[in-house]
Amino acid sequence: MTGAKKAVRSARKALSWLIIFLQGLHTLLFVICTFPIAWLDIKALMAPLLRYWAWVLFFLAGKRVHVKGRHHLDRSRNYLLVANHTSYYDAPGIMTVIPRVAWLGRSMLIRIPVLASFLRATHFIPVYRGDPIRSKRAIDDAIKEASQLTIAIFPEGTRTGHGGLNPFKKGFIHIMRGSNLDILPVTLNGFYRFMPRHGFVIDPRARLEIIIHPPISREALLEKTNDEIVDIVRGVIDSENRNVHA
């Protein structure tokens, strides 16, 4: 590696840590300021506040999230939002567009005392890996929330390490069958390049894009097998996935 390349890499690393520090400080202040709202469990106030928090994260990185297919989103309806998982920034990116979302995520997050109160106020639904009974309960909780909110899930279960889509887990299908929600496929592009799974170096050249696909009618899927539903939903999301070539 030449001296010039080393200098560029060092500069990028230093800039990344500065951005991450500022984002962490912003997040800490946000959690402290909104803790009374979270503790009192005033969920109605959290959606606009979360949208603001997410927007500032990208502002501090000098990035704007571009949205394609916004017209496919009917604000008067709730959906089962299914997206590819590429980066730590996936969920904040979606929140800049759709803040009223109940997220399914790892149960380990609710073991952190202050964060647990905060997550409860955001309709967070913990998923317990390796515990079928608790996992079933998480799906039942998601179905209950479906009457009030859009449910969001990353069916891969973890961030991709190569830009392409990992195999889909079938939990989202059980939520679809138990609720009245249509599936809203979403493709996230650029987030993998912005900050991939391995490492904490931000690539400022990444163009962040969220593609909202036309909803897939629940009724059109009910007669299909679980494997067929996975193939249909995964195929739609993958059709616009450009992370492999990012």
Side-chain angles (χ1 to χ4, degrees):
M1 184 182 295
T2 65
K5 287 185 178 179
K6 284 184 179 179
V8 170
R9 176 170 288 190
S10 297
R12 274 186 55 196
K13 189 174 291 187
L15 177 62
S16 296
W17 282 109
L18 175 61
I19 291 171
I20 291 169
F21 171 77
L22 292 174
Q23 290 174 334
L25 184 61
H26 160 62
T27 300
L28 176 62
L29 292 173
F30 179 82
V31 170
I32 292 172
C33 292
T34 58
F35 181 74
I37 297 172
W39 187 71
L40 293 171
D41 203 16
I42 308 176
K43 292 183 171 68
L45 294 178
M46 289 306 296
L49 290 172
L50 284 169
R51 188 174 197 171
Y52 165 78
W53 165 77
W55 182 86
V56 172
L57 280 187
F58 294 104
F59 174 79
L60 291 171
K63 303 304 298 181
R64 174 172 166 255
V65 179
H66 301 268
V67 182
K68 178 181 175 183
R70 199 188 290 267
H71 59 283
H72 293 140
L73 182 63
D74 183 347
R75 299 283 181 181
S76 67
R77 297 177 55 198
N78 297 324
Y79 300 95
L80 175 56
L81 189 157
V82 181
N84 56 318
H85 199 7
T86 63
S87 169
Y88 282 125
Y89 290 90
D90 293 344
I94 290 173
M95 281 188 224
T96 64
V97 184
I98 311 172
R100 290 190 69 256
V101 170
W103 288 95
L104 277 83
R106 294 183 180 183
S107 60
M108 60 180 288
L109 296 175
I110 62 170
R111 297 174 192 165
I112 306 171
V114 175
L115 185 60
S117 298
F118 178 77
L119 289 173
R120 275 193 292 271
T122 66
H123 301 271
F124 181 78
I125 302 168
V127 176
Y128 297 84
R129 291 186 174 184
D131 189 330
I133 295 176
R134 282 185 159 185
S135 295
K136 171 68 166 54
R137 192 178 303 158
I139 291 173
D140 292 340
D141 289 342
I143 292 171
K144 290 177 185 176
E145 292 282 7
S147 62
Q148 307 173 39
L149 292 167
T150 285
I151 308 298
I153 187 169
F154 297 117
E156 295 166 273
T158 188
R159 289 163 292 148
T160 177
H162 45 75
L165 272 64
N166 292 316
F168 277 22
K169 301 181 187 300
K170 298 175 182 176
F172 77 97
I173 298 174
H174 300 302
I175 297 172
M176 182 210 72
R177 292 191 187 280
S179 68
N180 61 350
L181 298 179
D182 291 340
I183 290 180
L184 185 68
V186 170
T187 303
L188 303 173
N189 286 318
F191 293 85
Y192 174 72
R193 179 175 180 178
F194 185 60
M195 181 182 279
R197 176 173 180 171
H198 304 293
F200 285 90
V201 178
I202 289 173
D203 188 341
R205 301 166 297 177
R207 184 181 189 275
L208 306 180
E209 179 185 53
I210 294 177
I211 299 174
I212 302 173
H213 299 275
I216 303 174
S217 168
R218 172 179 177 272
E219 283 68 27
L221 297 175
L222 284 178
E223 299 303 318
K224 307 225 178 253
T225 67
N226 289 352
D227 287 337
E228 287 173 332
I229 294 172
V230 165
D231 288 342
I232 291 169
V233 176
R234 192 176 186 276
V236 171
I237 295 172
D238 200 30
S239 67
E240 293 279 0
N241 178 32
R242 293 188 287 274
N243 291 295
V244 178
H245 307 292

